[in-house]
Amino acid sequence: MKSFSVEDINAIVNGEIIGKTTNKISGLEQIKKANEHQATFIGNRKFAALWKDSKASLAIVNDNLDIEPGENRVLIKVKNADLAMAKLLESFTPEPPHFETEIHPSATIDATATIGKGTRIGAGSYIGKDVVLGENVTIYPNVTILDDTTIGDYTTIWSGTVIREYSEIGSHCIFHNNVSIGADGFGYRPSDDGRGLVKIPHIGNVVIGNGVEIGANSCVDRGKFSSTILGDGCKIDNLVQIAHNCVLGRSCIMAGSSGLAGSVTLGDGVMIGGSASIKDHTTIHSGATVGAGSGVMNDVAAGKTVLGYPAVDSREMLKQWVALRKLAR
Amino acid sequence: MKSFSVEDINAIVNGEIIGKTTNKISGLEQIKKANEHQATFIGNRKFAALWKDSKASLAIVNDNLDIEPGENRVLIKVKNADLAMAKLLESFTPEPPHFETEIHPSATIDATATIGKGTRIGAGSYIGKDVVLGENVTIYPNVTILDDTTIGDYTTIWSGTVIREYSEIGSHCIFHNNVSIGADGFGYRPSDDGRGLVKIPHIGNVVIGNGVEIGANSCVDRGKFSSTILGDGCKIDNLVQIAHNCVLGRSCIMAGSSGLAGSVTLGDGVMIGGSASIKDHTTIHSGATVGAGSGVMNDVAAGKTVLGYPAVDSREMLKQWVALRKLAR
Amino acid sequence: MKSFSVEDINAIVNGEIIGKTTNKISGLEQIKKANEHQATFIGNRKFAALWKDSKASLAIVNDNLDIEPGENRVLIKVKNADLAMAKLLESFTPEPPHFETEIHPSATIDATATIGKGTRIGAGSYIGKDVVLGENVTIYPNVTILDDTTIGDYTTIWSGTVIREYSEIGSHCIFHNNVSIGADGFGYRPSDDGRGLVKIPHIGNVVIGNGVEIGANSCVDRGKFSSTILGDGCKIDNLVQIAHNCVLGRSCIMAGSSGLAGSVTLGDGVMIGGSASIKDHTTIHSGATVGAGSGVMNDVAAGKTVLGYPAVDSREMLKQWVALRKLAR
């Protein structure tokens, strides 16, 4: 466990120290649960009122709050306690899981695969034919990477994730557990006798940019032909569905359990709320926001916020909700 | 296959035997599909009417139903056929999957891990550095448990599940297939140049009580700092999302495809219906119920039932639905 | 990379060739992204207008569109460009992932398992006691198949998928990555002291017909007793939940992130839209359609289309949506 003095911590958050403590800080905790070796954060009056009864020796505090440190306790006043917290978290990050050897002997690596310098592969992982892994890639145990896939430098793949053949993954990506990349898209045609369905082969692939994070148990399907594309910096939460031939611009955000049907296009910086779903072949233009739980059936203009099911402009939807509430009375 | 006499079965369900049969019972089946060596259940008039044409030799029947056994067939009348069924199912449970050896030679177990007495580990599973498994833990094949995780006695982890580092799991838990525990929460801040997103490290962990069951392909993310907590006896269905820093009390139920956004608090005995989703930082107090498909955007008082999107008191929502139906006419 | 002449391609799609090109075709691409060695598809006026500026040497074109090939470029006119595309995709399908040996030495196969002729098993996969795999089954790396499961000929199981004990899987099925088949259903009863929940054992199994496809990270739970059943030709997308004791007829379609609660019955040819969810114990009769995002709380008659939350006849729901929009103004 790392241990920090108040001065060490202030070197990171760059605030104003008020008070003194003899305690060293070895962790971060919520204000009610913290002990005397932990620091906490106070971003509003509600939390400020809890400081008196907290056991924490140190709080990072928004500088507009009126609050005293107390005996053997310290406040560090900063402009933005949330931002200071994000920076401190980096310093307190514990060691990631240990690799006993760079390439675990129980991993199966095809003789034709190319493995970059500093790349580590955990127990039980499978690296297929002609796969190319860049430098300093981290593959945790029990990952499966199928043939002809390429993965860029410093990308991390957590256990249980499967990346199908011909995928192209950028550098500095993080794929969490049990992610599925490159499964066939969902496409069928009626059989010639009209009595069943025939699978449409999906011969496209998945192309993922740099700095993309994909949450646990999320899915990105391969294109029917051409590619399903996630632009640089996209952040995808858990249990998200991205269907075949979707194209996401840069730095899009999709919250948990949301989904895109086939051939949806997102511009740059689009935000999709949790559990929202988007109809196939629609376009959500750059900077637009889709509220949580929405069902989007039409294109959304740049910068607009839509909400509800079926989704419309968010102010219009709030009016609908109010009108219905009144009507019911 | 086990085989039971009518008397064996009545010793379990403790009812009144009416009629006689020479057939032994070796399984349980629905009334329309049962054969003469199977028992079935009759809890209402609809099923009672099907008894005449059923091939089952034995039915467990609610004692308020007027029904005759027929030739070479038996009824056992009980107060509650559903409860009797639950008890019988325990007796008919077949053998779970076989372990040829306690620790399969193809499992990778770090030298620093502690494995309790009677604990079994299947083929291809990975047990990381300083992991502590209690006694009589069952780890099926191809499970991944990363460093410093602890798991209590008699817990069962099914194949494909991944538990990330520093998780604390209680005893008598069941985690089904492809569950993801302890992936990073979904948190970013704008980069200093305002043109992208910077990942907020998640240094907290997941703490799960005793007797918790988590369904297939569900996710519980680790805390940003502090812990994501599931209290004793929580029952979580398949494809459920529990985001970073959620805190669930005792015996909460979350049905399939439901989700909690970050820092949601559930009291004790909260019930969340299928496909419902809950906004971040809200509190659902003890004994409250959220109807299936709801989108909850505000705190819910203890014992209250909410419904709809956006969710309100369920009677109020039913009125809204009726009012809208009338309006459309 | 395979390479085709215009005549080779027309032998597949059986249309009318207009124009000439010296270029060979080695792939398919969208009209804006294609190069001179790729073919593309033009099914409507919007795409026809893009042909002039496309680099593709060949387009498959609906024969009702008025369009000229241009220099060193070819059109093949067909009745239905979409259907022609589906057929062409089969010819352009690249090699699936490579198996170095039929049975990888790192796979664990119980001595009692039966493995059919031509069946291949990838690295790290586990095949349990008394499992029966038919002929020409393909098991990719890191799959887990537990005891007493049977799988029919020509079925393909992709990496990460887990099939629990006693499952019965047909022939010509495809299960994508991280699918969970046969986990326990979600059923509890109050404990005798009324202070907690007791698990109801699930001793049924999963029975899946022929030609069934199940998408990545989807779940099919085992029956409480009796079976959860998917009929021949059902097509299930990603992240779909099918709870215990559901029964699906032939050729049902469930789109991404949809879900069935316990004991739901679907007739033949039922279509469930993306993110829709269906209440437990309801029946959706043959040929019915459930719109995307719907929450179905009652039985749906054969051939009917329902929509919305709560779902009603789709025309009725569209009227409700219009009425509410007017009311809000």
Side-chain angles (χ1 to χ4, degrees), chain A residues 28-30 33 41 83 85-87 89-90 92-98 100 104 106 123 140-142 158-160 174 176-178 213 216-217 233 235-239 250-251 253-257 275 291-294 307-309 321 324-325 327-329, chain B residues 108 110 124-126 129 142-144 146-147 160-162 164-166 178-186 188-189 192 195-201 203 217-219 221 224-227 229 239-241 245 258 277 297 309-310 312 316 319-320 323-324 327:
Chain A
L28 310 175
E29 193 37 284
Q30 293 168 358
K33 297 167 72 182
F41 302 92
L83 191 59
M85 182 207 298
K87 288 180 177 170
L89 285 167
E90 285 168 24
F92 280 89
T93 301
E95 285 296 301
H98 172 73
E100 209 183 327
H104 196 278
S106 72
Y140 282 102
N142 290 328
W158 288 95
S159 300
I174 301 172
H176 291 283
N177 310 120
N178 290 318
E213 189 164 348
N217 292 70
K235 309 295 181 186
I236 309 296
D237 200 353
N238 297 348
L239 291 162
R250 294 171 61 96
S251 299
I253 291 180
M254 294 183 67
S257 304
S275 299
S294 300
L307 180 63
Y309 168 65
W321 289 346
L324 182 55
R325 225 171 294 156
L327 180 72
R329 271 166 207 158
Chain B
T108 297
D110 194 276
S125 285
Y126 178 82
K129 186 167 162 288
N142 290 327
V143 164
T144 305
L146 291 175
D147 304 10
T161 284
V162 179
R164 287 256 319 252
E165 65 276 18
Y166 300 104
N178 290 318
V179 167
S180 295
I181 302 290
D184 291 356
F186 192 65
Y188 305 90
R189 61 179 178 86
D192 292 340
R195 297 179 53 198
L197 297 162
V198 177
K199 179 181 176 63
I200 297 178
I203 70 167
N217 293 68
S218 286
C219 301
D221 277 356
K224 185 158 66 175
F225 56 97
S226 195
S227 305
I229 300 173
L239 291 162
V240 169
Q241 155 73 344
N245 294 103
S258 61
S277 60
M297 301 187 180
Y309 168 65
V312 296
E316 159 72 12
K319 279 184 203 162
Q320 288 188 23
L324 182 54
L327 180 72

Side-chain angles (χ1 to χ4, degrees), chain A residues 135-202:
Chain A
E135 300 190 356
N136 300 302
V137 171
T138 301
I139 309 283
Y140 282 102
N142 290 328
V143 164
T144 305
I145 300 177
L146 292 175
D147 304 10
D148 298 282
T149 286
T150 62
I151 296 184
D153 300 345
Y154 291 98
T155 282
T156 297
I157 314 284
W158 288 95
S159 300
T161 285
V162 178
I163 303 179
R164 286 256 321 251
E165 65 274 18
Y166 299 104
S167 298
E168 303 170 30
I169 315 291
S171 61
H172 295 277
C173 292
I174 301 172
F175 292 1
H176 291 283
N177 310 120
N178 290 318
V179 167
S180 295
I181 303 290
D184 292 356
F186 192 65
Y188 304 90
R189 59 178 178 86
S191 61
D192 292 339
D193 66 2
R195 296 179 54 199
L197 297 162
V198 177
K199 180 180 175 66
I200 298 177
H202 277 66

Side-chain angles (χ1 to χ4, degrees), chain A residues 70-147:
Chain A
E71 201 185 318
N72 199 25
R73 305 176 82 192
V74 173
L75 301 176
I76 299 181
K77 294 210 162 183
V78 296
K79 271 253 151 60
N80 183 336
D82 272 350
L83 191 59
M85 182 207 298
K87 288 180 177 170
L88 263 187
L89 285 167
E90 285 168 24
S91 302
F92 280 89
T93 301
E95 285 296 301
H98 172 73
F99 281 77
E100 209 183 327
T101 54
E102 266 199 1
I103 311 287
H104 196 278
S106 72
T108 297
I109 299 171
D110 195 275
T112 60
T114 305
I115 313 293
K117 210 177 110 185
T119 285
R120 300 172 303 169
I121 300 175
S125 285
Y126 178 82
I127 311 293
K129 186 165 163 287
D130 293 319
V131 166
V132 177
L133 305 181
E135 300 190 356
N136 300 302
V137 171
T138 301
I139 309 283
Y140 282 102
N142 290 328
V143 164
T144 305
I145 300 177
L146 292 175
D147 304 10

Side-chain angles (χ1 to χ4, degrees), chain A residues 45-88:
Chain A
R45 271 167 220 276
K46 186 183 138 195
F47 285 112
L50 299 172
W51 171 244
K52 201 162 46 80
D53 295 326
S54 170
K55 297 211 175 72
S57 294
L58 170 62
I60 315 296
V61 184
N62 270 6
D63 61 9
N64 62 342
L65 293 168
D66 188 19
I67 174 174
E68 294 300 319
E71 201 185 318
N72 199 25
R73 305 176 82 192
V74 173
L75 301 176
I76 299 181
K77 294 210 162 183
V78 296
K79 271 253 151 60
N80 183 336
D82 272 350
L83 191 59
M85 182 207 298
K87 288 180 177 170
L88 263 187

